[in-house]
Amino acid sequence: MAEKESGKIYVVATPIGNLKDITFRAVEVLKNVDFIVCEDTRVSGILLSHYCIEKRLKVLNARNESRTIDDIIEEVKSGKDCALISDAGTPLISDPGSRLINRAVAENITVAPAPGPSALTAALSISGLPSSSFVFDGFLPQKKGRQKKLEQLSRENRTIVLYESTYRIEKLLKELSEYMPERTVVVCRELTKKFEEVWRGKPSELLEELPSKNIKGEFVVIISPLEWREEDYSES
């Protein structure tokens, strides 16, 4: 008897806020796979319900990734297709899943992208800062190594893109005032959602305005390159 052909793993980008920002292909893939791997069934359930998609869900997150991978790989090797999604945006971009994909590649399982929304590229596209070359550092270390990383980034001559949470956005702006006081900073809050906001200015200016801002939600912080000046760029 011939060995059953292995299934595929689709890495599917989902909306970062507005549920309409999903691609036709992403919906098609989610409807046709055998099961979906997600971070949180409650979050993904909202999207799947909106598009009338009923599939078996497997949870894969930072806490259970190492012990869940074997089960997923075995199912796919038995011929079942699965879709990997995150709570929002493109999976693996500061989200769990890299171990699963690395294992799939090692096992010669086909991994196919279904590209779409990403907070990283969405924020960069509206920042007004150079985007032909940039460095993405995701979430900075919360404690150990944070200051060292900020020192390294203060010497970076490319646009810097970071993610930050509600709880540390004020702390980050204070640190940028110390390490990169003259840089132009663009803070994007709740992109594509109802209360989307974009703030621009020097770190100290943003700190002064912070008390009047709503600092709830998810943030993308974009920092201008070391030698970049707004007036020079606008004249080029």
Side-chain angles (χ1 to χ4, degrees):
M1 184 180 293
E3 185 177 344
K4 189 172 183 179
E5 185 178 349
S6 175
K8 294 181 180 179
I9 296 178
Y10 294 90
V11 180
V12 182
T14 56
I16 59 176
N18 192 317
L19 294 183
K20 295 179 181 178
D21 287 339
I22 195 167
T23 67
F24 292 123
R25 180 167 177 247
V27 172
E28 182 180 72
V29 169
L30 293 174
K31 286 184 174 181
N32 289 320
V33 293
D34 295 291
F35 66 101
I36 296 172
V37 177
C38 64
E39 283 185 81
D40 187 324
T41 57
R42 295 166 298 181
V43 175
S44 296
I46 295 171
L47 173 70
L48 299 176
S49 176
H50 183 80
Y51 286 100
C52 302
I53 299 171
E54 295 184 8
K55 292 291 175 179
R56 178 165 53 92
L57 303 180
K58 274 185 174 288
V59 175
L60 178 74
N61 53 42
R63 295 183 295 278
N64 74 351
E65 189 171 13
S66 60
R67 64 179 182 272
T68 305
I69 289 174
D70 287 345
D71 290 341
I72 297 171
I73 293 294
E74 285 307 308
E75 283 210 63
V76 175
K77 289 175 72 174
S78 74
K80 294 180 179 178
D81 292 333
C82 91
L84 171 65
I85 62 177
S86 63
D87 284 349
T90 301
L92 279 73
I93 309 300
S94 286
D95 281 324
S98 59
R99 290 182 183 179
L100 172 62
I101 300 307
N102 288 339
R103 174 76 177 278
V105 171
E107 298 270 1
N108 293 316
I109 293 171
T110 299
V111 179
S118 167
L120 163 64
T121 52
L124 195 58
S125 71
I126 63 171
S127 68
L129 298 178
S131 57
S132 58
S133 179
F134 64 91
V135 56
F136 173 61
D137 245 301
F139 290 95
L140 295 180
Q142 292 188 32
K143 294 180 181 178
K144 186 177 180 181
R146 187 177 178 93
Q147 306 309 315
K148 183 178 180 181
K149 174 60 70 173
L150 284 163
E151 289 174 2
Q152 292 173 347
L153 292 175
S154 70
R155 299 187 292 272
E156 179 60 61
N157 202 28
R158 292 173 291 177
T159 297
I160 301 164
V161 186
L162 305 173
Y163 286 166
E164 195 51 275
S165 73
T166 295
Y167 309 103
R168 289 184 298 276
I169 186 64
E170 184 175 3
K171 175 183 178 181
L172 177 60
L173 290 175
K174 287 178 179 177
E175 291 167 330
L176 295 180
S177 292
E178 177 183 351
Y179 288 93
M180 310 178 212
E182 297 306 313
R183 304 285 191 97
T184 295
V185 177
V186 180
V187 177
C188 301
R189 185 183 84 86
E190 296 287 84
L191 284 172
T192 79
K193 298 179 183 177
K194 182 178 180 180
F195 298 107
E196 172 183 289
E197 288 185 285
V198 180
W199 317 332
R200 292 180 173 86
K202 297 290 189 291
S204 59
E205 294 170 342
L206 296 180
L207 271 174
E208 287 179 7
E209 296 175 7
L210 204 59
S212 64
K213 301 290 187 183
N214 185 343
I215 60 170
K216 294 180 180 179
E218 300 297 325
F219 295 85
V220 184
V221 179
I222 307 180
I223 306 161
S224 64
L226 176 63
E227 298 176 3
W228 183 85
R229 295 293 179 270
E230 188 169 0
E231 56 270 21
D232 296 336
Y233 192 73
S234 60
E235 294 172 359
S236 62

